[in-house]
Amino acid sequence: FDLGARGADFGPWVTQIPWSTIEPQVDAILADLNGRGITKIGHLGTCWGAWAGFHTAASGKLSCGVNCHPSVQLEGMFGGSDLALAETVKCPQMMLPAGGDNDNTKPGGEMQAIFDKQPWGSDCVYQEFPEMEHGWVPRGVRLASPPLNCFHTGFLPYMWGRTTLMRRLRKGSRWRWSWPRDSFRSTSSTPPSS
């Protein structure tokens, strides 16, 4: 979807998908995971997946969340406020905005001020990627030569190795990775080796 070329189509389309239509699907997934004995669950949201992640985190059913180039401002298209939505979040968040993303998602922004007031606020992580464009996690960097897949070269190593947020999730958890295909399946809390 080329937002630059079809921006006028985005609002009418996305407002047909309010949280009330997504929530039953998320609840079914969470119930399935809980039924399998998986009790520590986190979300990874890119763009407006962060919006859905914030809604899910408000339920108290998640242990943490990771938000890459977050578009939580989508809440405004449904008559709400991204900051009011942030006030409802009940678990630590990792905010990884691109350079052009909303300032309120960046280190020192309003969302950090909101999360810092929570008992889990010190577990949150804020890292701006100023040289990246919105969409850099799934799309990579198109301007680099050769183009990079930043998900693997920047995001995953950063997320895996440096944060208390991920340690909180993986401590005592069972890991189930399905990409690359069945590359790591274990019941230990040991990270996969490269």
Side-chain angles (χ1 to χ4, degrees):
F1 188 86
D2 185 348
L3 194 57
R6 298 183 53 203
D9 297 335
F10 182 73
W13 172 75
V14 79
T15 54
Q16 296 176 45
I17 312 168
W19 175 244
S20 61
T21 64
I22 300 169
E23 185 176 22
Q25 298 170 50
V26 171
D27 286 344
I29 292 167
L30 294 174
D32 180 65
L33 292 171
N34 290 154
R36 296 169 189 242
I38 300 169
T39 57
K40 287 193 173 205
I41 303 168
H43 80 83
L44 169 61
T46 62
C47 191
W48 64 293
W51 168 80
F54 270 41
H55 274 281
T56 307
S59 71
K61 297 175 184 175
L62 297 178
S63 297
C64 64
V66 178
N67 306 284
C68 307
H69 42 88
S71 291
V72 186
Q73 74 275 11
L74 181 68
E75 186 69 6
M77 298 185 88
F78 297 100
S81 155
D82 54 351
L83 297 178
L85 179 58
E87 293 274 2
T88 67
V89 169
K90 295 181 177 151
C91 62
Q93 300 293 306
M94 177 185 283
M95 303 298 287
L96 304 172
D101 287 336
N102 284 356
D103 287 342
N104 68 5
T105 65
K106 295 179 181 179
E110 291 96 337
M111 289 193 187
Q112 181 173 354
I114 290 168
F115 296 154
D116 280 352
K117 295 176 188 172
Q118 302 300 325
W120 41 261
S122 63
D123 290 333
C124 292
V125 176
Y126 308 90
Q127 175 67 49
E128 180 182 0
F129 290 84
E131 70 284 359
M132 301 297 178
E133 297 176 12
H134 184 83
W136 65 272
V137 171
R139 295 183 196 137
V141 176
R142 291 171 268 173
L143 303 176
S145 180
L148 301 172
N149 182 332
C150 294
F151 184 80
H152 299 104
T153 61
F155 168 71
L156 278 182
Y158 176 82
M159 184 175 77
W160 186 263
R162 298 188 181 155
T163 68
T164 51
L165 183 64
M166 291 310 293
R167 280 187 227 112
R168 177 185 174 126
L169 179 62
R170 71 182 182 219
K171 185 177 180 182
S173 297
R174 292 184 296 162
W175 285 92
R176 295 196 182 276
W177 289 53
S178 59
W179 189 97
R181 172 167 249 161
D182 297 328
S183 64
F184 182 69
R185 290 193 184 276
S186 174
T187 57
S188 76
S189 60
T190 305
S193 58
S194 314

